[in-house]
Amino acid sequence: FDYLSELHGTDFETHMEVYAHLYSYKKRQSVALKVKIDRDKPEIDSLQPLWAGADWPECETYDLLGIQFKGHPN
């Protein structure tokens, strides 16, 4: 998958979730990933090293929800 079209987080009462929507131009396929993370320590690996377009959405998700993205340059 060569294009990250969307990345955002959601805060639930019991946990948090991070969603990433990816697209492959070569295969003309899309996939959505959903990861459930601990609400007490919201942390997940950054997608920014794989898709540069994750930079800004990860910063916004951190600012709005406090989700840490390990390996993010900022």
Side-chain angles (χ1 to χ4, degrees):
F1 292 91
D2 47 9
Y3 179 67
L4 174 72
S5 61
E6 168 70 20
L7 185 144
H8 67 274
T10 305
D11 185 3
F12 293 95
E13 288 184 25
T14 57
H15 66 281
M16 291 187 166
E17 292 180 353
V18 174
Y19 300 84
H21 298 259
L22 307 171
Y23 185 76
S24 169
Y25 285 104
K26 183 178 179 180
K27 296 186 178 188
R28 296 183 180 187
Q29 292 180 323
S30 62
V31 65
L33 306 172
K34 177 174 79 168
V35 179
K36 187 176 177 179
I37 58 176
D38 185 15
R39 196 171 200 287
D40 295 329
K41 189 178 178 190
E43 188 174 74
I44 190 168
D45 289 334
S46 175
L47 294 178
Q48 194 276 336
L50 299 173
W51 293 282
D55 185 39
W56 189 250
E58 286 183 358
C59 288
E60 288 184 331
T61 302
Y62 171 76
D63 289 344
L64 293 171
L65 300 173
I67 297 174
Q68 294 275 356
F69 290 87
K70 295 185 293 185
H72 191 275
N74 295 332

